[in-house]
Amino acid sequence: AQSVTQLDSHVSVSEGTPVLLRCNYSSSYSPSLFWYVQHPNKGLQLLLKYTSAATLVKGINGFEAEFKKSETSFHLTKPSAHMSDAAEYFCVVRGPGGSYIPTFGRGTSLIVHP
Amino acid sequence: GAGVSQSPRYKVAKRGQDVALRCDPISGHVSLFWYQQALGQGPEFLTYFQNEAQLDKSGLPSDRFFAERPEGSVSTLKIQRTQQEDSAVYLCASSSGAGAFDEQFFGPGTRLTVL
């Protein structure tokens, strides 16, 4: 069985300050992990993915995430928030060995203040 | 290039009506997923196709839900005798491969409201 927990339902930051969105996962084996962003009235877009090649993963729009097996975490960070980053963010876990069913977290709403 | 499209974008149904939701995946994509996203929640898996074969339908909430992909491209999710609890956004996603690492490309969703 696999699961994912997004620790914050809302995160509020000021423009230009760092962003941290937290995600913890549970999986019997080394999973593949993803972060998706959902802007209002738009489809989910992939930000980045971890596939065991490197623990620090860089994605689009300046986002990155670090896979920490000992902490079962995959937190999403960005050094400096932009107004356009305001959106809903989802952490996703998929199983090993080609297991295809993704499990989504409940989402974290990122609010960016000017 | 065209992404995943879904139609209709919005659907209002009276309780008890049948509805059909369409998904046009990216051309050539092998895998197709349907998800249900309730308000304030993350998407929840409904069913999965690899080409025309429905390999997993374990997420379908009841036998009122039915999905098909007869020619391995367009897919339709049908809900019979809709209930208020069916109100949600239904998302479709496709990917070029069938592996756990493959990126899924999502459509904009169909927002279903059952009155």
Side-chain angles (χ1 to χ4, degrees):
Chain A
Q2 62 193 24
S3 66
V4 61
T5 302
Q6 292 185 243
L7 298 166
D8 307 292
S9 59
H10 297 85
V11 169
S12 182
V13 300
S14 297
E15 190 175 21
T17 64
V19 175
L20 170 63
L21 305 182
R22 298 183 293 166
C23 172
N24 284 99
Y25 70 92
S26 173
S27 179
S28 300
Y29 303 95
S30 293
S32 51
L33 294 157
F34 305 77
W35 276 98
Y36 281 84
V37 61
Q38 187 176 37
H39 290 276
N41 297 317
K42 292 191 176 181
L44 286 147
Q45 180 184 19
L46 180 68
L47 280 176
L48 49 80
K49 64 179 178 180
Y50 166 75
T51 59
S52 78
T55 56
L56 183 62
V57 182
K58 294 188 183 298
I60 61 171
N61 300 333
F63 284 95
E64 63 181 38
E66 186 172 7
F67 173 72
K68 292 187 177 180
K69 186 175 181 178
S70 61
E71 299 176 9
T72 61
S73 70
F74 190 58
H75 301 334
L76 182 70
T77 61
K78 183 173 181 178
S80 176
H82 192 273
M83 294 297 291
S84 61
D85 294 328
E88 192 80 15
Y89 291 80
F90 293 95
C91 183
V92 183
V93 62
R94 295 179 79 174
S99 174
Y100 45 74
I101 299 180
T103 301
F104 282 73
R106 292 187 58 173
T108 298
S109 179
L110 177 63
I111 303 161
V112 182
H113 299 285
Chain B
V4 178
S5 61
Q6 293 186 247
S7 60
R9 290 292 311 277
Y10 303 90
K11 177 68 178 178
V12 178
K14 292 183 179 179
R15 192 164 56 125
Q17 282 185 331
D18 297 348
V19 298
L21 312 180
R22 176 186 170 105
C23 172
D24 284 83
I26 293 173
S27 178
H29 274 197
V30 167
S31 298
L32 186 145
F33 296 76
W34 282 99
Y35 297 88
Q36 181 188 61
Q37 186 176 18
L39 190 63
Q41 304 291 321
E44 291 197 1
F45 169 82
L46 293 177
T47 187
Y48 163 66
F49 290 86
Q50 191 174 118
N51 296 308
E52 69 277 4
Q54 188 174 22
L55 297 188
D56 193 311
K57 55 182 181 179
S58 62
L60 296 177
S62 76
D63 58 7
R64 296 185 294 103
F65 286 70
F66 172 76
E68 60 182 6
R69 193 186 186 198
E71 297 179 357
S73 55
V74 172
S75 178
T76 303
L77 176 67
K78 298 179 180 178
I79 309 173
Q80 297 177 327
R81 305 181 303 282
T82 53
Q83 303 294 315
Q84 284 189 324
E85 61 263 28
D86 299 336
S87 295
V89 176
Y90 291 85
L91 298 172
C92 174
S94 70
S95 62
S96 58
F101 300 155
D102 293 322
E103 177 182 356
Q104 294 190 19
F105 293 84
F106 284 81
T110 294
R111 183 178 297 277
L112 173 64
T113 303
V114 182
L115 303 178

